[in-house]
């Protein structure tokens, strides 16, 4: 299902330039363009734009659609004859054979032959190479074939034609192109920002969302749920069996999987033939680690799975967390970092969507990870200066007057301590800079951040003797994002910087940083950092120092924290031992607590309450105290508190009325309420473990 946007065509400059170059070249020979990409990426849109350009250049264009059945030479030639007749009034004499007639027509004038939905063109390969294409050697014909996987390998290796083939795999929109697409849509700046942050630059997804928001029924529609449902149906059109459909939804929860791993999460084992069928799908890629889904398709399938069957989705996602945790120590460092990134992607729902330092709801993906280059320095210094002016994104360990020279020192002597998040073009968007702790770097650390001496304690002496090649700890001193551009919110970039830095650490490293901001401290705790000690900032303020240590087996602790937060009514996870985290509360238990909040006797029946030896009144008072507190308690937001209060404490309206009062659809309201129950369960579990 391809759809042409109502807005001007964007993001296809390279392809259109090659096309117009062929049209303008008086010596152009017969050539082949192969357009490829997943459903909705813009293949048909591109072909239509090329067809309009051809007409404006007075070049004949003929259109064939593979969905009409171009699987035989007869059908192919008949479709060409019909196109010539309907578009240009061409008629074939009764005594003239079809192939010579078509070849003669194509040799008469420059022609562009468009083949849309050309997935089955391989069935014509033998005839095309032996009979049809040789006749066009001396003609001036451009064949533009659009298909999900591109032209088969035989085309790309054919000795006579491979030099005449150009391949154009279509890509997703960049953030800049998304805003370009939305320009003139009539949508408010707030809606445009929400669309840019929640989509992944998929053209059809953007077109559907804009159409829905501009429709008369927009207020009653939850586009963030409807669009994944529509597109999932489109992507899964290629899945020929229910078994493949189920396996694809499971695969959406894994970074990569072979048949055995998929079967561990499937109720019914996958048939061997189905697995091979999956490998051939346009949005599935074969890798050394197994098959993997295109990132947009995976996101859409997860969203649709969560909408259709939230309980089952949560249970399978929980199983995926456990499975990935088991795999972590048996794979190499490259795969460990990939697993970490995927776990954070699945974990995103449990991270704060609105925070002073980070917004994890965005689907923003980083550009290619490249080490620091000297040409990056002007960007980084500009970010720091903006940070100083705004009193934001600063390190209280270092005097702000020393930021520029400290960054220059790190770049000159320890450039490996600079970590940069870049956009699609490689331009820096955010960075953090620190030093790897060893004998050569400790003097610099102590010169600019003297407060670290007391915090490192006895370890400082050992670090002064440690050779650089043995360093495994980075001390972060500076951090800033590009807050002056309009494409990304600072909180988006902050979240991306933290996520990418965290993934980097999971490769077997330790990270240390210090903060005096309570909000940042709460966020670091959610991300799995552990309080390391106290430090004194440059202005004499007391800072909390945080450590994230993945040098040994700490990944297990980190993943267990995630697993505890994602427990569901499906039962206790196999990964959890009875003596570990005995007070963890899952969402189903939290829901029971809320429903029985005013019945202390029933509350006392719950196993978790009995283990604590508390009475029902104590539990009720604690829960009411959490909800009555006018501050967010990460990951529980103020909005989620209000939803729980109106749903379980006031109980003066039905669900439809409640949804309307929060300006949400019923489906959206239920989703927010489930999240609120999960987040309250996490807050209450932490309070119980700390002996509240």
């Amino acid at each position: 299902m391809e759809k042409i946007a109502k807005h001007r065509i964007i993001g296809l400059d390279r392809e259109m330039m090659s096309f117009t170059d062929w049209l303008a070249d008086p010596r152009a020979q017969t050539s082949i363009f192969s357009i490829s990409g997943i459903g909705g990426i813009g293949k048909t849109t591109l072909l239509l734009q090329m067809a309009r350009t051809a007409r404006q250049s007075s070049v004949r264009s003929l259109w064939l659609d593979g969905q009409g059945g171009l699987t035989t030479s007869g059908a192919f030639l008949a479709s060409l004859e019909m196109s010539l007749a309907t578009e240009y009034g061409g008629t074939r004499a009764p005594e003239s054979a079809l192939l010579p007639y078509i070849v003669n027509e194509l040799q008469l004038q420059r022609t562009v032959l468009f083949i849309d939905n050309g997935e089955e063109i391989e069935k014509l390969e033998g005839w095309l190479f032996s009979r049809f294409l040789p006749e066009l050697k001396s003609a001036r014909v451009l064949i533009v074939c659009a298909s999900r996987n591109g032209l088969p390998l035989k085309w790309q290796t054919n000795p006579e034609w491979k030099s005449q083939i150009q391949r154009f795999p279509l890509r997703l929109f960049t953030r800049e192109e998304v805003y370009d697409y939305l320009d003139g849509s009539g949508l408010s700046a707030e809606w445009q920002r929400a669309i840019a942050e929640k989509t992944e630059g998929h053209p059809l997804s953007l077109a559907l969302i804009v159409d829905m928001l501009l429709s008369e029924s927009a207020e009653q529609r939850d586009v963030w749920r409807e669009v994944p449902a529509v597109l999932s149906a489109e992507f899964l059109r290629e899945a020929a069996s229910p078994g493949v459909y189920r396996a694809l939804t499971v695969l959406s929860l894994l970074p990569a999987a072979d048949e055995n791993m998929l079967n561990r999460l499937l109720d019914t084992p996958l048939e061997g033939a189905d697995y091979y069928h999956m490998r051939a799908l346009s949005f599935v890629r074969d890798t050394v680690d197994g098959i993997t889904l295109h990132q947009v398709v995976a996101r859409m399938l997860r969203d649709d799975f969560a909408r259709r069957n939230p309980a089952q989705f949560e249970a399978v996602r929980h199983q995926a967390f456990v499975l990935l945790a088991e795999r972590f120590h048996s794979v190499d460092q490259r795969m460990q970092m990939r697993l970490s990134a995927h776990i954070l992607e699945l974990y995103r729902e449990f991270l704060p969507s609105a925070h002073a330092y980070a917004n994890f709801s965005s689907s923003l993906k980083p550009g290619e990870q490249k080490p620091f280059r000297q040409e990056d320095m002007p960007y980084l210094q500009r970010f720091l200066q903006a940070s100083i002016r705004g009193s934001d994104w600063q390190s209280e360990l270092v005097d702000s007057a020393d930021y520029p020279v400290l960054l220059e020192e790190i770049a000159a002597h320890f450039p490996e301590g600079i970590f940069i998040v870049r956009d699609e073009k490689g331009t820096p968007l955010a960075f953090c800079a620190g030093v790897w702790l060893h004998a050569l770097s400790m003097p610099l650390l102590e010169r600019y951040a003297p407060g670290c001496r007391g915090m490192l304690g006895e370890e400082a002496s050992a670090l002064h003797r440690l050779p650089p090649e043995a360093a495994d700890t980075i001390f972060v001193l500076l951090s800033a994002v590009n807050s002056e551009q309009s494409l990304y919110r600072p909180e988006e970039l902050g979240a991306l910087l933290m996520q990418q830095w965290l993934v980097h650490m999971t490769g077997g490293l330790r990270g240390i940083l210090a903060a005096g901001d309570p909000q940042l401290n709460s966020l670091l705790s959610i991300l799995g950092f552990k309080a390391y000690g106290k430090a004194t900032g440059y202005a004499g303020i007391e800072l909390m120092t945080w450590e994230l240590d993945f040098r040994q087996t700490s990944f297990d602790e980190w993943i267990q924290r995630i697993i505890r937060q994602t427990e569901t009514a499906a039962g206790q996870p196999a990964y959890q031992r009875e003596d570990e985290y005995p007070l963890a509360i899952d969402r189903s238990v939290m829901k029971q607590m809320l429903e029985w909040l005013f019945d202390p006797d029933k509350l006392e029946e719950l196993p978790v309450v009995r283990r604590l030896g508390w009475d029902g009144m104590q539990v009720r008072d604690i829960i009411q105290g959490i909800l009555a507190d006018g501050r967010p308690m990460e990951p529980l937001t103020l909005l989620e508190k209000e939803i729980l209060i109106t749903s379980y404490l006031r109980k003066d309206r039905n669900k439809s009325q409640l949804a309307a009062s929060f300006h949400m659809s019923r489906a959206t309201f239920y989703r927010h309420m489930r999240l609120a129950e999960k987040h309250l369960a996490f807050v209450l579990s932490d309070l119980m473990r700390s002996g509240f």
Side-chain angles (χ1 to χ4, degrees):
M1 181 172 79
E2 300 279 352
K3 180 170 180 174
I4 183 168
K6 296 178 181 177
H7 313 283
R8 60 193 177 87
I9 302 300
I10 62 169
L12 299 171
D13 295 342
R14 178 177 69 99
E15 293 80 6
M16 287 304 301
M17 184 176 295
S18 296
F19 182 70
T20 54
D21 285 348
W22 187 90
L23 293 179
D25 185 358
R27 295 175 297 179
Q29 298 177 323
T30 293
S31 302
I32 301 169
F33 285 6
S34 174
I35 312 294
S36 62
I38 62 172
I41 198 74
K43 299 184 294 295
T44 300
T45 297
L46 174 58
L47 263 61
L48 289 168
Q49 179 66 10
M50 286 179 169
R52 282 193 291 271
T53 303
R55 286 195 297 271
Q56 292 165 2
S57 301
S58 300
V59 174
R60 182 171 61 182
S61 61
L62 304 175
W63 189 281
L64 305 182
D65 193 333
Q67 289 186 336
L70 302 178
T71 56
T72 66
S73 58
F76 185 86
L77 293 173
S79 296
L80 274 176
E81 181 183 23
M82 184 178 298
S83 186
L84 283 166
T86 55
E87 295 291 331
Y88 299 97
T91 56
R92 176 170 60 97
E95 67 278 6
S96 177
L98 188 52
L99 178 58
Y101 165 72
I102 295 294
V103 169
N104 182 65
E105 285 292 323
L106 293 179
Q107 289 175 338
L108 288 176
Q109 67 182 89
R110 184 185 295 245
T111 302
V112 181
L113 172 57
F114 295 101
I115 305 175
D116 198 12
N117 299 300
E119 278 72 25
E120 295 189 288
I121 198 169
E122 62 184 34
K123 295 181 179 179
L124 286 173
E125 278 176 353
W127 176 78
L128 287 170
F129 284 134
S130 64
R131 298 293 307 280
F132 186 70
L133 290 176
E135 298 289 346
L136 303 182
K137 272 285 189 180
S138 60
R140 293 176 299 164
V141 177
L142 174 61
I143 300 173
V144 183
C145 182
S147 61
R148 297 195 173 195
N149 288 313
L151 288 173
L153 185 61
K154 286 183 181 179
W155 290 71
Q156 301 167 37
T157 57
N158 184 279
E160 291 188 50
W161 288 98
K162 64 180 181 181
S163 62
Q164 300 302 111
I165 295 176
Q166 291 190 56
R167 298 171 62 244
F168 297 100
L170 300 189
R171 57 169 178 77
L172 302 173
F173 288 161
T174 65
R175 178 63 66 89
E176 186 175 7
E177 288 167 345
V178 170
Y179 277 116
D180 194 10
Y181 180 95
L182 295 171
D183 185 39
S185 65
L187 294 170
S188 68
E190 181 181 353
W191 268 114
Q192 290 192 33
R193 173 164 280 186
I195 292 170
E197 290 175 4
K198 290 179 180 294
T199 63
E200 295 183 90
H202 184 255
L204 182 55
S205 174
L206 289 170
L208 287 173
I209 287 173
V210 171
D211 287 348
M212 287 184 182
L213 289 176
L214 294 178
S215 68
E216 294 180 0
S217 60
E219 292 184 3
Q220 286 76 44
R221 308 184 79 164
D222 182 0
V223 298
W224 312 120
R225 287 297 181 185
E226 288 190 54
V227 169
V230 172
L231 293 180
S232 293
E234 164 61 16
F235 295 136
L236 293 173
R237 185 179 65 177
E238 294 185 59
S241 72
V244 171
Y245 178 97
R246 289 191 298 270
L248 287 170
T249 58
V250 166
L251 183 58
S252 73
L253 291 163
L254 299 168
D258 57 18
E259 189 174 353
N260 290 332
M261 181 175 285
L262 285 174
N263 284 336
R264 289 187 63 179
L265 297 181
L266 286 168
D267 294 331
T268 305
L270 191 66
E271 297 284 343
D274 285 342
Y275 182 74
Y276 285 104
H277 175 63
M278 289 174 66
R279 293 173 62 183
L281 297 176
S282 66
F283 47 81
V284 173
R285 190 162 55 93
D286 219 344
T287 73
V288 294
D289 304 307
I291 56 175
T292 184
L293 278 174
H294 189 286
Q295 67 184 51
V296 167
V297 181
R299 182 75 176 272
M300 293 290 180
L301 292 183
R302 284 197 299 268
D303 287 349
D304 187 46
F305 187 9
R307 179 190 64 84
R308 286 185 293 102
N309 195 331
Q312 185 183 5
F313 170 77
E314 290 169 10
V316 177
R317 177 175 57 182
H318 180 78
Q319 291 174 330
F321 278 139
V322 173
L323 184 60
L324 295 177
E326 290 175 356
R327 282 197 70 198
F328 188 81
H329 292 294
S330 65
V331 296
D332 58 25
Q333 183 174 330
R334 175 194 63 84
M335 191 59 187
Q336 285 182 342
M337 294 178 69
R338 187 177 176 191
L339 289 178
S340 303
H342 189 78
I343 287 168
L344 274 175
E345 176 66 21
L346 296 185
Y347 186 48
R348 192 207 307 262
E349 181 181 330
F350 299 91
L351 294 171
S353 60
H355 193 280
Y357 286 94
N359 184 322
F360 293 95
S361 64
S362 168
S363 61
L364 178 63
K365 296 290 187 294
E368 183 183 354
Q369 292 298 316
K370 296 178 181 176
F372 168 79
R373 302 169 298 195
Q374 195 55 45
E375 54 264 37
D376 296 326
M377 183 58 76
Y379 292 97
L380 309 192
Q381 291 286 16
R382 194 170 74 244
F383 300 169
L384 276 182
Q385 291 305 315
S387 152
I388 294 170
R389 290 193 299 271
S391 299
D392 198 7
W393 305 95
Q394 297 186 38
S395 168
E396 297 100 333
L397 270 176
V398 180
D399 189 334
S400 59
D402 290 335
Y403 285 0
V405 64
L406 173 58
L407 182 58
E408 294 283 358
E409 289 257 24
I410 293 174
H413 303 292
F414 310 108
E416 65 279 2
I418 300 178
F419 183 83
I420 301 176
V421 171
R422 306 175 186 273
D423 65 13
E424 298 90 343
K425 299 176 183 177
T427 304
L429 291 173
F431 82 98
C432 62
V435 292
W436 291 96
L437 300 186
H438 51 73
L440 300 182
S441 65
M442 285 297 291
L444 181 141
L445 176 68
E446 293 173 345
R447 181 163 77 250
Y448 287 99
C452 71
R453 293 176 188 144
M455 181 270 293
L456 289 171
E458 295 180 0
E459 186 181 3
S461 299
L463 290 169
H464 271 287
R465 300 189 300 272
L466 188 71
E469 61 271 16
D472 57 14
T473 298
I474 185 169
F475 199 121
V476 177
L477 295 170
L478 301 171
S479 180
V481 305
N482 184 359
S483 58
E484 298 179 326
Q485 45 71 48
S486 59
L487 295 180
Y488 313 95
R489 284 196 289 182
E491 296 81 10
E492 268 191 289
L493 299 179
L496 187 59
L497 182 62
M498 289 182 180
Q499 286 175 274
Q500 291 303 304
W501 190 81
L502 178 60
V503 169
H504 193 65
M505 291 298 105
T506 60
L509 305 171
R510 178 176 69 151
I512 301 176
L513 54 86
D517 187 325
Q519 294 190 76
L520 180 55
N521 284 334
S522 70
L523 178 60
L524 294 173
S525 176
I526 292 169
L527 286 172
F529 285 77
K530 287 187 174 182
Y532 183 73
K534 302 289 186 180
T536 303
Y538 71 89
I541 58 175
E542 187 176 73
L543 307 177
M544 176 65 74
T545 305
W546 296 89
E547 175 188 71
L548 188 67
D549 191 348
F550 288 121
R551 293 176 299 179
Q552 306 299 328
T553 58
S554 299
F555 184 85
D556 294 337
E557 298 175 20
W558 182 66
I559 191 64
Q560 282 181 19
R561 181 183 180 90
I562 291 174
I563 289 174
R564 292 203 313 275
Q565 291 186 70
T566 58
E567 287 174 359
T568 69
Q572 293 296 313
Y575 190 70
Q576 178 180 337
R577 296 193 298 267
E578 184 61 30
D579 60 336
E580 284 187 309
Y581 313 112
L583 302 178
I585 301 170
D586 65 31
R587 186 177 71 84
S588 63
V589 172
M590 189 71 253
K591 183 176 175 64
Q592 280 187 315
M593 284 183 165
L594 289 165
E595 290 172 345
W596 296 347
L597 200 58
F598 298 101
D599 191 336
D601 292 336
K602 282 192 174 181
L603 283 174
E604 291 172 9
E605 295 174 7
L606 293 171
V608 67
V609 176
R610 288 202 302 270
R611 288 203 300 272
L612 282 167
W614 287 2
D615 60 45
M617 294 294 291
Q618 283 179 289
V619 176
R620 186 191 70 182
D621 291 342
I622 292 171
I623 293 174
Q624 284 184 312
I626 293 172
L627 297 179
D629 192 318
R631 300 165 298 174
M633 302 174 71
E634 298 293 350
L636 186 66
T637 66
L638 290 178
L639 173 63
E640 290 168 348
K641 286 187 179 185
E642 186 60 25
I643 287 175
L644 294 175
I645 289 170
T646 55
S647 300
Y648 291 104
L649 273 64
R650 295 182 188 146
K651 296 195 286 189
D652 58 349
R653 283 167 285 184
N654 62 35
K655 290 296 188 291
S656 295
Q657 292 170 328
L658 285 171
S661 70
F662 285 95
H663 308 289
M664 300 175 184
S665 67
R666 280 176 61 93
T668 302
F669 180 77
Y670 276 115
R671 178 168 58 87
H672 278 282
M673 190 160 70
R674 286 195 301 270
L675 257 184
E677 290 162 354
K678 291 176 190 173
H679 291 167
L680 176 59
F682 178 67
V683 170
L684 185 59
S685 297
D686 266 6
L687 286 175
M688 287 179 167
R689 280 192 291 270
S690 64
F692 179 86

